[in-house]
Amino acid sequence: MLKIFGNITSNRPPVWLMRQAGRVLPRYRKLRENYSFRELMETPQLAADVTLMPVDDLGVDAAIIFSDILTVPTALGMDIEWTDHGPKFPQPLCGINNPSKFLKIQPEKFEHVYKAIDIVVKNKKVSLIGFCGAPLTTLCYMIQGVSSKQNFPEAKKFFYEKRSETQQLLEIVTEISIDYALKQVEHGINIFQIFESNAGIVPTNFYDEMFLPSVTKISNAVRSKGVPVIFFPKGIGCGLRMITPEVCDVAGIDWQTSIWDARQLVHKDVALQGNFDPHLLFAPQKIIAAEVEKYRKFFAENPDWIANLGHGVLAETPFENVKYFIQCIQQYDTI
Ligand code: CP3
């Protein structure tokens, strides 16, 4: 087992869930009646409270700081609106000439995240995960402005049409993400995850050439400080072959790929995290238990596995089922 989950002494995998802070938690939904998402995220004490909620209410083995990958564009001077349909940038970069000149670095916009980390670190009982979006995913939102059209067609067109502008934007986003990640490390996070939710929107070779080097840079900056990195390239498919120890310590596997196939594709010295289908948690508990049981053999052969879903927990998932899933994993050593 990875040393970072040192709080677990028995022979079972650590378990946490992407998007565990928010969404399915009844206490979070209650808070949301009084505060907007932005208020919760930008008020350090509230963000720290929400970060720790899944530890108390679900029993997960790690907390992830309550923030969003879109703090990076905000700290590059882009205004963001959090609507009922998700995030929206009123001035997307696809409508601006020389977008890299338009961005203004404002590192003070990250301060609330560091303050929230300080509060959590003082009170935490489990490992704390920091994160950022990978540059491709972050740029998709910055260029297109909204995520309402699947697969970010405007952003993708931009990548092909304006290669050198894309390169410049990538450098800007990569540099600020490195500073942001290193500050999270200074404030005491124990693990860092890079979310590449849109890895699957470009061909694998294009990803390898254009976008993976930025991920490697962020990852190695964090790893040089002794903090392990999880890289979650959703939709990358056979591109999992590109994931070597030069890129990260742990590969987050999406729900589409079988964990056994992923084990064949990812370099043997990189641990795996994942990858139960988030929709599994809508199933009757008997089915959830049976599915968790199938991974027992995988764990026996891969003791550094981190149990998680293959994407974020879905908003309407029954809370009791989420809790039950966590318990099933945590009972691996007792059955
Ligand atoms: O994992 C956690 O619980 C920690 C907090 C976290 C949030 N967003 C909080 C959030 C993390 C790690 C993220 C990452 C994130 N944000 C990603 C990558 C992971 C993924 O799911 O693919 C992406 C693409 C975003 C951008 C984003 N933020 C979108 C598209 C949306 C709207 C749709 C949605 O997911 O709810 C958000 C809003 C958001 N980010 C919420 C939360 C709790 C919902 C806010 C609310 O209404 O309460």
Side-chain angles (χ1 to χ4, degrees):
M1 192 198 305
L2 285 172
K3 281 201 293 291
I4 37 175
F5 291 100
N7 49 317
I8 303 169
T9 47
S10 52
N11 184 30
R12 64 162 178 90
V15 55
W16 69 281
L17 305 180
M18 290 184 276
R19 303 301 206 95
Q20 67 187 19
R23 285 194 173 168
V24 292
L25 300 177
R27 281 206 288 150
Y28 174 78
R29 302 250 57 97
K30 193 108 196 87
L31 262 185
R32 281 285 275 111
E33 288 169 14
N34 298 321
Y35 300 98
S36 67
F37 172 55
R38 188 177 207 136
E39 283 169 321
L40 289 179
M41 197 172 46
E42 295 183 356
T43 312
Q45 185 62 53
L46 290 172
D49 291 347
V50 177
T51 301
L52 289 167
M53 265 182 202
V55 178
D56 294 327
D57 298 1
L58 291 171
V60 288
D61 296 312
I64 179 164
I65 194 73
F66 186 73
S67 182
D68 198 87
I69 63 164
L70 300 179
T71 49
V72 163
T74 312
L76 286 170
M78 292 185 75
D79 289 331
I80 187 169
E81 289 165 13
W82 290 99
T83 73
D84 288 345
H85 313 286
K88 183 174 174 222
F89 291 101
Q91 265 195 298
L93 298 184
C94 64
I96 291 171
N97 276 334
N98 283 329
S100 52
K101 306 276 172 311
F102 166 84
L103 299 173
K104 305 260 171 310
I105 298 178
Q106 302 171 5
E108 67 280 4
K109 294 263 172 79
F110 289 133
E111 282 305 319
H112 61 88
V113 180
Y114 309 139
K115 286 187 184 144
I117 294 175
D118 291 342
I119 301 171
V120 175
V121 166
K122 264 198 223 141
N123 296 289
K124 75 176 179 156
K125 309 153 204 157
V126 295
S127 299
L128 176 62
I129 304 171
F131 70 90
C132 71
L136 162 67
T137 295
T138 309
L139 271 179
C140 283
Y141 286 94
M142 291 169 67
I143 292 171
Q144 188 164 310
V146 281
S147 56
S148 52
K149 288 188 208 144
Q150 266 210 327
N151 295 332
F152 291 89
E154 269 115 82
K156 194 170 165 181
K157 199 161 97 203
F158 186 102
F159 298 149
Y160 278 103
E161 268 177 4
K162 302 183 178 171
R163 186 70 75 105
S164 73
E165 190 61 46
T166 301
Q167 199 65 54
Q168 284 180 47
L169 289 171
L170 264 176
E171 276 167 33
I172 294 170
V173 172
T174 305
E175 285 314 308
I176 193 168
S177 301
I178 290 174
D179 291 346
Y180 180 43
L182 290 178
K183 271 271 167 56
Q184 294 185 46
V185 170
E186 270 174 39
H187 284 261
I189 57 146
N190 308 101
I191 310 168
F192 192 77
Q193 174 152 321
I194 303 175
F195 284 90
E196 185 70 290
S197 308
N198 298 342
I201 72 163
V202 293
T204 307
N205 290 347
F206 188 28
Y207 188 82
D208 190 20
E209 206 180 294
M210 189 83 175
F211 301 104
L212 190 62
S214 303
V215 172
T216 307
K217 268 195 207 158
I218 300 168
S219 172
N220 285 331
V222 172
R223 295 201 292 166
S224 74
K225 304 291 175 196
V227 169
V229 170
I230 306 169
F231 173 44
F232 174 61
K234 186 172 181 306
I236 205 161
C238 290
L240 286 173
R241 279 200 194 94
M242 301 181 290
I243 304 188
T244 63
E246 282 71 51
V247 178
C248 59
D249 302 284
V250 182
I253 307 303
D254 60 37
W255 54 267
Q256 287 94 335
T257 311
S258 124
I259 197 92
W260 305 95
D261 290 340
R263 190 58 286 171
Q264 296 302 313
L265 291 166
V266 174
H267 188 288
K268 66 174 179 33
D269 295 333
V270 176
L272 300 190
Q273 170 180 279
N275 71 335
F276 295 88
D277 186 348
H279 280 93
L280 168 69
L281 304 189
F282 288 94
Q285 295 194 346
K286 250 166 101 179
I287 293 183
I288 296 175
E291 200 56 38
V292 169
E293 190 52 33
K294 289 184 194 159
Y295 279 64
R296 187 190 282 276
K297 191 160 169 270
F298 182 80
F299 175 57
E301 290 164 12
N302 299 277
D304 50 6
W305 172 54
I306 303 171
N308 202 320
L309 302 177
H311 200 186
V313 64
L314 297 161
E316 286 85 31
T317 316
F319 174 69
E320 284 310 317
N321 281 5
V322 184
K323 224 168 140 170
Y324 180 73
F325 168 77
I326 304 285
Q327 284 163 0
C328 286
I329 299 276
Q330 291 176 338
Q331 279 163 17
Y332 259 30
D333 59 334
T334 56
I335 301 168

